[in-house]
């Protein structure tokens, strides 16, 4: 094995191992990601309920937000969490490298959970969410790029499956926490419910530190990253990917409402399952549970089957996923119509919407992670991943903006009931049709860490990448 080293620490491997098997650092990254996602999704799962039920005023008395305000602030938080990746990416590629950036910001992240656990007022909420938004956001592009950095040309064929199982780790953590933290909030209150995700974040940080000698550490490149990002191949890659990311933002605008609008909708549904009544915030666990089923189904059954008929390329997968999202939100609009008409629909209908939306997520989110990494020049992979994360931020900006605009002074909405869901369904349908055009116009190159980039390909072929 090559032992190319950094001048400051010769024990760190700085080029991918010349092996055709799984890189040795991958288990530590996957374990870290599972614990970190437990902490993030556990905290996020109870945010809406905490804000509308448990939030305290400065005098220690209960002083909850309205449903409209809670939806607005949940999406502002998610928007911030997916804007800060740009900061983390430049910090990693310019100054510190991915490993140090992830480790240091993970510690900051832990303090955010501590603030939420210790202070149940708007001050604790603001400080905690601010630190978490900066910590989780700034490490996200670094972690995704760090996964890809472990691979060289000999084992790059494993990237697609590793990104898939990386996503499985995310959703294992999310599934467990989305079931557990709402129960902890209901039984033991906010301090325990926010404290447990904080403990898991501390475990995640420790797991990542344990893998330091197994990782490939791609060194920071200094100020040249700005030139790499905004001139030549870097700028070309960003401009090529920008239209894709803008349209994918609409997908995230709808998807992330599972943590706000769909939770509030579940309050008015029959949530009894096999004799047990689930909490409205626990229904979100359907998404990570379904991911665990659908990732292998898509990887080993659906994609290979469809590939026999026509090539299921990344851009085609994303486009199909966007149309599936239209179907999922149409179901939520029909559910809301039934509620408005005085009914109490079964939660099974929302689960059906989750099944379709999760299938869309597999096709859009996992594909975009892999596609973004391979389309990014080697020197700015974290930066390109952070621009992809901006699509999530933009999507939540759209949702927060719409909720701010439609809110009346008396607390009512300009898009009441089902009209709210039909508005976003229509927006997604327009974005899906526009994506077809963008996909056929796309031109790009594929980059792997220790190999030369593929030559530029024409529009039709690029859609096959």
């Amino acid at each position: 094995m090559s032992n190319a080293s950094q001048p400051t620490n010769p024990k760190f491997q700085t080029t991918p191992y010349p092996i055709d098997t799984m890189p040795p650092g991958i288990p530590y990254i996957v374990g870290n990601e599972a614990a970190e996602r437990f902490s993030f999704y556990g905290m996020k799962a109870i945010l809406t309920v905490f804000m509308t039920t448990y939030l305290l005023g400065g005098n220690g008395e209960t002083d909850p937000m309205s449903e409209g305000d809670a939806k607005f602030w949940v999406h502002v938080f998610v928007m911030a969490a997916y804007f800060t990746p740009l900061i983390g990416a430049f910090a990693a590629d310019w100054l510190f490298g991915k490993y140090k950036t992830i480790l240091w910001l993970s510690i900051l992240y832990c303090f955010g959970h501590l603030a939420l656990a210790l202070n149940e007022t708007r001050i604790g909420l603001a400080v905690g969410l601010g630190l978490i938004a900066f910590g989780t956001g700034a490490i996200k592009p670094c972690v995704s790029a760090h996964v890809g950095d472990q691979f060289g040309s000999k084992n790059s064929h494993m990237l697609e499956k590793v990104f898939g199982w990386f996503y499985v780790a995310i959703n294992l953590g999310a599934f467990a926490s989305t079931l557990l933290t709402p129960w902890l909030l209901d039984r033991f209150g906010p301090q325990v419910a926010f404290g447990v995700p904080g403990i898991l974040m501390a475990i995640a940080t420790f797991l990542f530190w344990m893998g330091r000698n197994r990782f490939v550490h791609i060194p920071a490149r200094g100020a040249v990253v700005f030139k790499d990002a905004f001139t030549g191949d870097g700028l070309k890659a960003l401009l090529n990917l920008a239209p894709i990311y803008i349209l994918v933002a609409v997908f995230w605008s709808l998807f992330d409402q599972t943590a706000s609008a769909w939770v509030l909708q579940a309050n008015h549904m029959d949530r009894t399952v096999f004799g047990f009544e689930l909490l409205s915030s626990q229904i979100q666990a359907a998404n990570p549970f379904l991911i665990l089923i659908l990732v292998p189904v898509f990887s080993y059954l659906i994609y290979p089957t469809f590939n026999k008929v026509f090539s299921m390329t990344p851009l085609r997968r994303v486009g199909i996923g966007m149309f599936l999202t239209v179907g999922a939100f149409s179901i939520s609009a029909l559910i809301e119509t039934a509620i408005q008409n005085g009914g109490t629909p079964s939660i099974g209908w929302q689960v059906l919407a989750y099944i379709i939306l999760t299938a869309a997520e597999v096709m859009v989110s996992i594909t975009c992670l892999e596609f973004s990494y391979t389309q990014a020049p080697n020197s700015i992979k974290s930066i390109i991943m952070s621009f992809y994360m901006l699509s999530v931020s933009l999507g939540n900006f759209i949702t927060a903006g719409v909720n701010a605009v439609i809110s009346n002074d008396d607390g009512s909405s300009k898009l009441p009931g089902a009209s709210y869901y039909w508005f976003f369904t229509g927006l997604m349908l327009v974005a899906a049709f526009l994506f077809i055009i963008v996909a056929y116009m796309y031109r790009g190159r594929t980059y792997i860490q220790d190999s030369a980039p593929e030559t530029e390909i024409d529009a039709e072929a690029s859609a096959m990448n």
Side-chain angles (χ1 to χ4, degrees):
M1 290 186 182
S2 170
N3 275 314
S5 60
Q6 295 182 36
T8 55
N9 199 335
K11 67 184 177 183
F12 287 155
Q13 178 86 9
T14 58
T15 58
Y17 293 99
I19 56 177
D20 58 8
T21 55
M22 193 67 67
I26 291 296
Y28 295 93
I29 301 175
V30 172
N32 160 267
E33 190 69 7
E36 187 273 328
R37 291 290 86 184
F38 182 107
S39 73
F40 179 79
Y41 282 106
M43 174 275 304
K44 182 183 171 187
I46 60 176
L47 263 186
T48 299
V49 173
F50 172 73
M51 290 176 174
T52 56
T53 307
Y54 293 88
L55 192 64
L56 302 181
N59 59 1
E61 299 293 326
T62 303
D63 183 22
M65 294 183 185
S66 68
E67 289 189 355
D69 285 346
K71 282 197 288 186
F72 173 79
W73 286 111
V74 165
H75 289 287
V76 167
F77 163 67
V78 178
M79 179 185 72
Y82 285 90
F83 179 82
T84 52
L86 197 60
I87 299 171
F90 276 103
D93 286 352
W94 173 25
L95 297 172
F96 308 116
K98 299 181 189 71
Y99 171 76
K100 289 182 179 178
T101 301
I102 295 168
L103 184 65
W104 294 344
L105 289 176
S106 293
I107 295 171
L108 185 70
Y109 193 162
C110 292
F111 281 106
H113 281 292
L114 183 64
L116 287 177
L118 295 182
N119 191 317
E120 298 169 41
T121 69
R122 283 168 170 77
I123 293 175
L125 185 68
V127 172
L129 293 185
L131 291 175
I132 290 172
F134 187 75
T136 187
I139 68 176
K140 280 189 75 65
C142 302
V143 173
S144 299
H146 192 53
V147 172
D149 286 348
Q150 308 306 304
F151 291 84
S153 56
K154 290 187 176 182
N155 56 3
S156 62
H157 62 281
M158 303 181 74
L159 263 175
E160 179 181 343
K161 285 185 172 59
V162 167
F163 272 115
W165 291 112
F166 180 70
Y167 216 74
V168 166
I170 290 173
N171 286 280
L172 272 172
F175 173 65
S177 64
T178 307
L179 284 177
L180 179 62
T181 54
W183 180 81
L184 291 174
L185 180 66
D186 185 59
R187 292 294 183 92
F188 301 106
Q191 289 189 346
V192 173
F194 284 125
V196 170
I199 292 170
L200 265 291
M201 187 59 222
I203 293 172
T205 305
F206 178 69
L207 280 173
F208 189 73
W209 175 82
M210 284 181 63
R212 65 196 182 283
N213 294 324
R214 299 294 187 94
F215 297 144
V216 174
H217 295 247
I218 302 298
R221 303 185 67 248
V224 71
V225 297
F226 294 98
K227 179 181 177 182
D228 291 344
F230 300 118
T231 62
D233 287 345
L235 179 61
K236 188 173 184 179
L238 284 172
L239 293 177
N240 284 339
L241 291 166
I244 292 174
Y245 292 166
I246 290 170
L247 293 174
V248 168
V250 182
F251 164 79
W252 290 113
S253 176
L254 276 67
F255 178 85
D256 279 332
Q257 293 193 57
T258 56
S260 57
W262 284 23
V263 172
L264 297 171
Q265 184 182 73
N267 281 328
H268 306 287
M269 301 180 71
D270 178 5
R271 303 187 303 278
T272 303
V273 178
F274 301 120
F276 295 94
E277 185 176 13
L278 297 173
L279 299 168
S280 59
S281 51
Q282 286 181 310
I283 309 304
Q284 297 171 80
N287 172 249
F289 174 75
L290 289 165
I291 281 286
L292 298 175
I293 298 172
L294 292 180
V295 165
V297 167
F298 272 81
S299 294
Y300 298 106
L301 178 61
I302 294 178
Y303 289 155
T305 300
F306 275 85
N307 275 326
K308 295 176 182 177
V309 181
F310 69 97
S311 182
M312 284 291 286
T313 65
L315 295 183
R316 286 177 179 171
R317 294 179 208 168
V318 174
I320 294 170
M322 294 173 81
F323 280 103
L324 286 175
T325 308
V326 173
F329 244 68
S330 296
I331 293 172
S332 65
L334 294 173
I335 292 171
E336 196 64 26
T337 299
I339 293 171
Q340 284 181 285
N341 291 336
T344 308
S346 167
I347 198 63
W349 289 106
Q350 198 176 79
V351 171
L352 175 61
Y354 266 110
I355 292 171
I356 299 172
L357 187 64
T358 304
E361 182 190 4
V362 172
M363 303 191 82
V364 175
S365 185
I366 295 178
T367 304
C368 281
L369 277 175
E370 178 197 346
F371 190 68
S372 296
Y373 183 83
T374 60
Q375 296 298 292
N378 293 337
S379 59
I380 57 164
K381 288 194 179 292
S382 291
I383 293 169
I384 292 289
M385 299 302 282
S386 73
F387 274 93
Y388 165 60
M389 302 298 174
L390 284 181
S391 70
V392 187
S393 181
L394 176 59
N396 281 271
F397 174 79
I398 292 169
T399 306
V402 169
N403 277 278
V405 169
I406 66 175
S407 294
N408 296 318
D409 292 338
D410 62 357
S412 62
S413 173
K414 296 182 180 69
L415 289 174
S419 60
Y420 176 88
Y421 294 91
W422 285 124
F423 170 81
F424 282 101
T425 301
L427 184 65
M428 186 73 254
L429 185 62
V430 171
F433 277 112
L434 290 175
F435 186 85
I436 296 173
I437 300 171
V438 168
Y440 275 98
M441 294 176 62
Y442 181 79
R443 292 177 177 269
R445 293 183 176 184
T446 298
Y447 301 83
I448 301 296
Q449 275 296 350
D450 64 349
S451 62
E454 293 181 4
T455 57
E456 188 168 340
I457 46 185
D458 62 31
E460 178 68 21
S462 66
M464 305 290 184
N465 262 352

